[in-house]
């Protein structure tokens, strides 16, 4: 009999979750990984688990119980005690801490075109210059706002792909940043290139913003590159909040894959983002680490030693010892809006684990919005589910950020922002 058993109960301060490995019926209940794809990927990578029935039972830390065992009963207690505690845990053990080094910041509009996109939008290209330690770096921010909507809600993309994907001249148009479509729907589009803030390679933290701000010797909880990109997104908001064309109450941060991990962390740290959209952000992003499905902490720390803080390596093949999991990162976004997206071929990024993170963040969201509910199985392909301030879709196909995804993001924004 096909069934899915979900049991949660509180035991010794821990939320215990047991998943029955027996598969769900695709048609009746929701999405499941294609068995053919699972077979194929498993053949290619014997060291990676893609089988749902090999996911072992795990226990998630309870977002509503403090480290000292106190129960969080309402939003006031959450905001006062548990939220700051969880934020600290993610700084200490996952993404690392931003140094306190003083720095200067200035904005210069280096190009403005009030008749961009066939006269429908205003383009501003703004240089955000950060200075410290006698050095400086520039984050090149591009911003299109619709001429008919002032001030406009804006999506800020952390671009982790090649810079052509965010071409301000619009000679190159990429689905990764579909400016024209967004403008037609009344949304502004902003983007910066992640490597402006920090290069995506292991350079012993000598370059990028680390080269400016890391004046003390590095510690086990010093920030990595994902935290640097997230910080860069916040510097863009420092500018956006000053721009009269931008509605500063409606700024979203969007990122894909490694950019999605950074977007989620940016959203957790910076409450000026009223909407947070991690697209296919997988391990170290939206996917529950304890499932050990697809990419794992050990794998990501080995391939990308610069992304996280050193402490994160304690959890290589040792996920159960982490005081957090990614449902708690999502809970940090509450009561703001959160949209999680996945793709059916991206099993490396664990679509199911990403949905379950969102699902398990709901006890926190419900402190603010008691009526929010989600099913405990992944929704069917290409179907958007929305409950209150959270939404999810799994698109069919490859690991990518496509116009289809953006259309779902904008549909969600239409609901939570308008
Ligand atoms: C690699 C990495 C992922 C990451 C992805 C990407 O596959 O293992 O964690 O999300 O690159 O950024 O495209």
């Amino acid at each position: 009999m096909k069934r899915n058993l979900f049991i949660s109960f509180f035991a010794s301060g821990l939320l215990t979750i047991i998943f029955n490995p027996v598969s769900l019926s695709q048609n009746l209940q929701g999405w499941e990984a294609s068995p053919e794809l699972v077979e194929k990927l498993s053949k290619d990578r014997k060291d990676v688990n893609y089988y749902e029935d090999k996911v072992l039972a795990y226990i998630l830390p309870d977002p509503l119980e403090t480290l000292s065992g106190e129960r969080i009963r309402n939003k006031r207690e959450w905001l006062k005690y548990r939220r700051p505690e969880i934020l600290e845990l993610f700084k200490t053990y996952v993404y690392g801490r931003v140094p306190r080094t003083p720095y200067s910041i200035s904005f210069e509009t280096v190009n403005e075109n009030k008749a961009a996109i066939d006269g429908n939008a205003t383009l501003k290209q703004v240089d955000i210059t950060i200075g410290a330690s006698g050095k400086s770096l520039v984050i090149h921010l591009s911003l299109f706002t619709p001429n008919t909507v002032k001030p406009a809600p804006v999506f800020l993309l952390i671009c982790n792909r090649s810079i052509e994907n965010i071409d301000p001249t619009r000679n190159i148009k990429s689905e990764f940043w579909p400016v024209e479509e967004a403008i037609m729907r009344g949304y502004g589009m902003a983007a910066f290139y992640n490597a402006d803030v920090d290069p995506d390679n292991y350079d012993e933290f000598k370059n990028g913003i680390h080269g400016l701000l890391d004046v003390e010797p590095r510690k086990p909880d010093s920030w990595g590159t994902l935290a640097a990109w997230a910080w860069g997104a916040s510097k863009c908001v420092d500018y956006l909040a000053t721009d009269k064309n931008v509605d500063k109450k409606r700024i979203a941060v969007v990122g894909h894959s490694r950019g999605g991990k950074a977007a989620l962390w940016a959203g957790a740290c910076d409450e000026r983002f009223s909407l947070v959209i991690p697209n296919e952000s997988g391990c170290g992003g939206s996917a529950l680490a304890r499932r050990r499905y697809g990419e794992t902490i050990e794998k990501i720390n080995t391939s990308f030693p610069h992304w996280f803080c050193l402490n994160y390596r304690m959890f290589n093949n040792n996920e159960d010892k982490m005081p957090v999991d990614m449902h708690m990162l999502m809970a940090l976004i509450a009561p703001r809006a959160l949209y999680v997206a996945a793709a059916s071929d991206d099993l490396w990024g664990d679509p199911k684990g990403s949905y379950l993170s969102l699902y398990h963040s709901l006890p926190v969201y419900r402190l603010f919005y008691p009526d929010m509910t989600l099913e405990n199985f992944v929704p069917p392909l290409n179907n958007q589910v929305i409950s209150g301030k959270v939404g999810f879709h799994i698109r069919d196909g490859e690991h990518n950020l496509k116009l289809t995804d953006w259309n779902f993001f904008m549909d969600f924004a239409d609901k939570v922002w308008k």
Side-chain angles (χ1 to χ4, degrees):
M1 191 179 88
K2 291 196 170 183
R3 67 203 165 96
N4 171 266
L5 174 68
F6 171 80
I7 304 169
S8 75
F9 56 91
F10 295 108
S12 359
L14 293 166
L15 175 63
T16 304
I17 294 170
I18 302 169
F19 290 100
N20 188 319
V22 180
S23 61
L24 296 166
S25 157
Q26 174 90 28
N27 298 330
L28 284 181
Q29 287 208 299
W31 175 86
E32 268 197 0
S34 130
E36 296 75 31
L37 182 61
V38 168
E39 283 307 317
K40 183 183 169 301
L41 293 175
S42 304
K43 272 203 192 96
D44 294 348
R45 290 287 302 263
K46 297 218 167 23
D47 57 326
V48 178
N49 178 42
Y50 289 113
Y51 293 99
E52 206 47 55
D53 59 5
K54 289 196 181 142
V55 174
L56 301 176
Y58 52 88
I59 297 173
L60 290 179
D62 185 345
L64 292 180
E65 182 146 332
T66 66
L67 288 177
S68 55
E70 240 125 3
R71 195 84 211 131
I72 297 297
R73 290 160 306 183
N74 52 49
K75 59 187 176 192
R76 190 190 62 81
E77 291 176 357
W78 163 259
L79 292 171
K80 187 154 183 216
Y81 303 112
R82 186 59 167 151
R83 186 182 187 279
E85 183 174 79
I86 294 175
L87 192 60
E88 275 303 298
L89 291 171
F90 274 100
K91 286 183 187 167
T92 310
Y93 294 110
V94 184
Y95 302 103
R97 222 170 274 284
V98 181
R100 289 167 191 267
T101 315
Y103 61 89
S104 63
I105 178 165
S106 62
F107 312 121
E108 187 191 353
T109 304
V110 291
N111 180 33
E112 179 165 5
N113 175 5
K114 294 191 169 153
I117 320 282
D118 299 324
N120 292 306
T122 295
L123 162 67
K124 283 191 197 169
Q125 289 175 266
V126 179
D127 281 0
I128 302 174
T129 304
I130 311 291
S133 315
K135 299 184 221 165
S136 66
L137 68 73
V138 179
I139 305 170
H140 302 94
L141 175 70
S142 297
L143 167 68
F144 287 90
T145 47
N147 286 337
T148 48
V149 186
K150 279 187 191 180
V154 169
F155 292 94
L156 169 67
L157 174 70
I158 302 175
C159 179
N160 59 299
R161 293 249 171 112
S162 63
I163 201 158
E164 297 78 34
N165 285 287
I166 52 169
D167 181 14
T169 70
R170 307 313 291 153
N171 290 332
I172 302 170
K173 295 191 177 72
S174 158
E175 288 190 38
F176 205 70
W177 193 50
V179 172
E180 288 71 14
E181 287 79 359
I183 293 294
M184 293 315 152
R185 288 185 63 161
Y187 288 108
M189 285 287 251
F192 72 99
Y193 183 42
N194 62 349
D196 278 357
V197 184
D198 202 34
D200 191 3
N201 53 47
Y202 185 60
D203 58 9
E204 295 181 339
F205 304 101
K206 295 279 181 278
N207 302 309
I209 193 63
H210 292 287
L212 269 69
L213 300 187
D214 296 8
V215 288
E216 304 276 329
R218 286 183 62 81
K219 303 198 185 87
D221 65 350
S222 289
W223 60 338
T225 294
L226 294 174
W229 296 338
W231 181 90
S234 281
K235 295 309 102 190
C236 293
V237 180
D238 290 353
Y239 168 75
L240 293 172
T242 69
D243 191 311
K244 291 205 167 47
N245 291 345
V246 175
D247 178 351
K248 61 180 180 204
K249 294 231 155 60
R250 292 185 292 169
I251 299 175
V253 60
V254 184
H256 167 68
S257 209
R258 65 197 71 187
K261 306 179 210 294
L264 200 45
W265 182 232
C269 294
D270 191 335
E271 296 180 60
R272 293 174 300 173
F273 291 114
S274 62
L275 167 56
V276 180
I277 309 181
N279 189 67
E280 299 160 33
S281 60
C283 179
S286 55
L288 287 178
R290 278 167 173 78
R291 277 170 48 81
R292 302 174 189 91
Y293 184 101
E295 188 173 28
T296 59
I297 295 180
E298 188 261 333
K299 292 225 163 354
I300 204 165
N301 277 329
T302 308
S303 309
F304 305 97
H306 56 297
W307 279 1
F308 300 89
C309 71
L310 276 182
N311 275 338
Y312 196 43
R313 298 182 191 179
M314 291 198 276
F315 308 111
N316 286 354
N317 298 316
N318 194 22
E319 290 84 350
D320 293 323
K321 289 284 181 311
M322 266 203 301
V324 292
D325 211 318
M326 294 321 194
H327 62 310
M328 291 157 78
L329 179 57
M330 293 190 184
L332 295 177
I333 312 296
R336 294 166 293 140
L338 170 62
Y339 193 85
V340 179
S344 62
D345 292 353
D346 180 27
L347 301 189
W348 180 242
D350 190 10
K352 182 168 179 177
S354 299
Y355 179 77
L356 290 175
S357 281
L358 184 65
Y359 176 82
H360 291 298
S361 73
L362 279 202
V364 174
Y365 269 96
R366 276 199 284 264
L367 298 176
F368 300 88
Y369 310 105
D371 294 340
M372 280 174 62
T373 66
L374 287 173
E375 303 283 4
N376 68 348
F377 52 84
V378 184
L381 269 189
N382 305 317
N383 270 274
Q384 180 172 57
V385 293
I386 297 178
S387 175
K389 293 284 179 170
V390 305
F392 178 91
H393 77 259
I394 175 164
R395 169 181 52 71
D396 67 303
E398 60 173 6
H399 176 66
N400 203 345
L401 173 56
K402 307 190 69 141
L403 182 56
T404 320
D405 301 305
W406 279 102
N407 281 331
F408 279 131
F409 304 163
M410 290 189 269
D411 293 346
F412 180 69
D414 286 349
K415 291 219 165 64
V416 293
W417 269 348
K418 283 189 176 154

